[in-house]
Amino acid sequence: GAPRCGASLHELNKALRIDLNANASCTWQIQRNTNQTIRLIFSYFKFAPSSSCETESIKVYDGPSTTSPLLGQVCNDTDAVPVLESSSDSLTFLITTNSVDFPRNFFVFYYFFSPESKPENCGGQLTDPNGTFSSPNYPAPYPAFAYCVWHIQTPKNSKINLQFQDFFLELDRNCQLDFTAVYNGLTTTTGLIGKVCGRAQPTFESSSNVMTVVLATDSSSSYRGFSAQYSSVPLPGPMEPDTFLTCSSDSMKIVLSKSYLASLGYNESLLQLIDPSCRPVITDLVTFSFPLTRCGTIKKEEGHSITYTNIISLSSTGNIITRQKNMEIIAKCKMENNSTLEVFYVTRNNVIQNITAMGRYNVSMAFYSSDSFSEPIHQSPYYVDLNQTLFAQVSLQSTDPNLLVFVDTCTASPQPDFGSPTYDLIRSGCNKDDTVVTYPPLEHHGRFKFNAFRFLRSFPSVYLQCDVVICDSNNSNSRCTKGCISRQKRAISPYTWKTNTAVGPIRLKRDLRSAEHSESLTKADAEETPNLQQYNFYIFAFVVLISNILIVVAVILKHHKHRPGYSYQKIQSS
């Protein structure tokens, strides 16, 4: 909804989908005469690969121009969902791109708000070893333009296990509209573990005793939100708080404490990865944070998982001899389905040699308006006509370009928990419904289409759940290249990484029209009821009036009949 390069915006709230190419320098100014401040959320950003903050970035300024104070910066290695707030009623952001010919995509939304007006149960400090929390209004729909931050801190020498027992947010392709973000630490500016939306039951685990959970919503659709519980888990050994590894669908992050390195006699400034040009950020901690496919990372298939491995070592700095101990830490991200985010350490002589962390790919599913798969359907429920062609796409969000997505099995159910009855659209890559057409795997997308149907016995909704296989595109013998597999061959066809994703509900337009017609009839009946009551009242009043008149006449006749001097005819005339 934004011009190609820059704009002056005055609406109370707005969402912008921005597409730019090389050598862009575009400025957006947000300003409105009000006593409110502005919250700006970059819920999705895609820069050119290998770009640096110096050559390509988003700069946000706290005021009406780029000469105002710098509020923050977003670039390729930003490990967070950036949320920035102005101190007044104006804010400016500038997007610059380098000369690389590559399509950049950004999704940002903003709204004016009053800091003192905040929904109940929206964020807070959680310091008990175990606890629960939920989104505002749960299980009723959460409010629009909510931004809630929960800081969880458990006892020292523990880590946090977070489980969402119920989770239902608005679903979209990249979780750009309503989302929950989980961070490894007490800040929301770095350490992103994951971002989720739609229907799920995600589980997260921190590497230490602190974790931050964020809920951000827009104004388009609201659902019941989430209910979560957390628990503290004792750390198994003395070295884990000093060294940890986190893995996401996009990146890996290795953190070493300077005190741990000093105890071993290592100089933190000499640490390097396989690609020595990738440098750490050094504070009290030494942090390497990088995309899965950069800095010399080695990818490998291992059974039903894909691993990404890098090595931390000491650079020789050109010297012929050294008196420092040799150091080598092998850091491995193992992407496994339904795994907890555990970290495993291998040590020798009290020195860490291997760290392995479990991670998961971020997969989502959405319907689209046509086979171009360019316009996702945001409405929920999705109202369709019986036998209408529906286009579904499963998307993988990852910085690894050499991955394929294959839709292995898709099952429909009238129940959101996919209880009985169920109906197979696709099973083991084979089309089970006559209307299903699957498209060849395309980079990070698995696509298919089918004709809308309904379940019998008055079930109004249809939900769809798909099992998805992710493979290395360089492996010509992977599951993603096999297509339909018969029952006899299933056991000998290994997959690389498997998960499931769901979307729905789908409902028929005629059911919507029937509901609207029934509502109009009810309204008409309600309008007719007072008229009928009024009519009955008039009839009753008329009958009472006639009865009273007849009684009066009878009394007069009886009275005059016995008076002397009056004939009956005179009485009648009187």
Side-chain angles (χ1 to χ4, degrees), residues 199-313:
R199 287 184 61 88
Q201 286 185 313
T203 300
F204 298 97
E205 193 165 86
S206 68
S207 59
S208 67
N209 66 322
V210 288
M211 175 186 278
T212 300
V213 181
V214 172
L215 170 67
T217 70
D218 68 351
S219 62
S220 57
S221 298
S222 291
Y223 298 91
R224 65 173 176 265
F226 66 77
S227 172
Q229 69 174 15
Y230 72 91
S231 57
S232 58
V233 181
L235 286 166
M239 288 176 294
E240 281 76 313
D242 297 318
T243 304
F244 60 84
L245 167 67
T246 55
C247 305
S248 72
S249 186
D250 296 310
S251 63
M252 58 193 302
K253 180 179 179 180
I254 312 165
V255 177
L256 306 166
S257 79
K258 289 173 66 176
S259 59
Y260 169 68
L261 294 170
S263 69
L264 299 175
Y266 296 138
N267 184 345
E268 67 273 3
S269 63
L270 299 180
L271 296 183
Q272 64 180 24
L273 295 173
I274 294 176
D275 180 355
S277 64
C278 295
R279 306 302 303 158
V281 175
I282 300 176
T283 55
D284 290 338
L285 301 172
V286 180
T287 304
F288 290 93
S289 183
F290 50 95
L292 290 177
T293 55
R294 289 182 58 192
C295 299
T297 303
I298 301 168
K299 182 174 72 172
K300 184 179 179 181
E301 291 185 29
E302 295 183 355
H304 290 175
S305 65
I306 296 177
T307 62
Y308 298 86
T309 304
N310 212 309
I311 300 173
I312 299 176
S313 61

Side-chain angles (χ1 to χ4, degrees), residues 254-415:
I254 312 165
V255 177
L256 306 166
S257 79
K258 289 173 66 176
S259 59
Y260 169 68
L261 294 170
S263 69
L264 299 175
Y266 296 138
N267 184 345
E268 67 273 3
S269 63
L270 299 180
L271 296 183
Q272 64 180 24
L273 295 173
I274 294 176
D275 180 355
S277 64
C278 295
R279 306 302 303 158
V281 175
I282 300 176
T283 55
D284 290 338
L285 301 172
V286 180
T287 304
F288 290 93
S289 183
F290 50 95
L292 290 177
T293 55
R294 289 182 58 192
C295 299
T297 303
I298 301 168
K299 182 174 72 172
K300 184 179 179 181
E301 291 185 29
E302 295 183 355
H304 290 175
S305 65
I306 296 177
T307 62
Y308 298 86
T309 304
N310 212 309
I311 300 173
I312 299 176
S313 61
L314 287 173
S315 63
S316 61
T317 66
N319 296 330
I320 298 175
I321 67 168
T322 182
R323 288 188 171 87
Q324 280 195 310
K325 302 173 186 177
N326 186 35
M327 175 188 179
E328 188 174 89
I329 297 177
I330 300 173
K332 180 185 293 185
C333 284
K334 192 172 185 179
M335 312 302 281
E336 285 194 345
N337 179 38
N338 295 329
S339 63
T340 59
L341 301 181
E342 293 186 81
V343 182
F344 300 95
Y345 297 81
V346 177
T347 65
R348 178 179 295 174
N349 298 326
N350 210 35
V351 178
I352 298 173
Q353 293 187 321
N354 291 273
I355 315 174
T356 300
M358 303 302 176
R360 289 188 291 269
Y361 289 117
N362 188 5
V363 177
S364 61
M365 181 164 58
F367 289 110
Y368 285 76
S369 59
S370 69
D371 59 2
S372 68
F373 293 96
S374 59
E375 297 181 4
I377 303 297
H378 296 303
Q379 71 185 69
S380 180
Y382 179 23
Y383 284 98
V384 301
D385 292 315
L386 194 64
N387 217 35
Q388 175 182 330
T389 303
L390 307 183
F391 302 91
Q393 174 174 280
V394 177
S395 300
L396 164 69
Q397 290 80 47
S398 176
T399 55
D400 186 349
N402 298 314
L403 294 174
L404 287 179
V405 175
F406 178 73
V407 180
D408 179 79
T409 297
C410 278
T411 302
S413 173
Q415 309 290 347

Side-chain angles (χ1 to χ4, degrees), residues 144-192:
F145 299 128
Y147 183 71
C148 309
V149 181
W150 291 268
H151 295 292
I152 307 172
Q153 187 162 7
T154 57
K156 291 183 177 180
N157 298 322
S158 68
K159 55 186 178 180
I160 300 169
N161 180 278
L162 175 67
Q163 293 183 325
F164 288 91
Q165 298 164 306
D166 185 25
F167 189 96
F168 192 178
L169 269 63
E170 183 177 4
L171 176 67
D172 70 280
R173 181 177 177 182
N174 295 308
C175 295
Q176 301 170 149
L177 306 175
D178 299 344
F179 62 86
T180 293
V182 181
Y183 293 89
N184 200 10
L186 287 178
T187 176
T188 60
T189 58
T190 188
L192 180 67

Side-chain angles (χ1 to χ4, degrees), residues 514-528:
S514 298
E516 291 173 345
H517 179 63
S518 175
E519 184 179 350
S520 65
L521 288 178
T522 303
K523 185 177 180 181
D525 290 343
E527 291 175 350
E528 289 177 3

Side-chain angles (χ1 to χ4, degrees), residues 540-559:
F540 175 75
F542 179 74
V543 169
V544 170
L545 179 62
I546 294 298
S547 300
N548 289 336
I549 291 173
L550 291 175
I551 292 171
V552 170
V553 169
V555 170
I556 293 172
L557 289 175
K558 185 177 180 180
H559 175 73

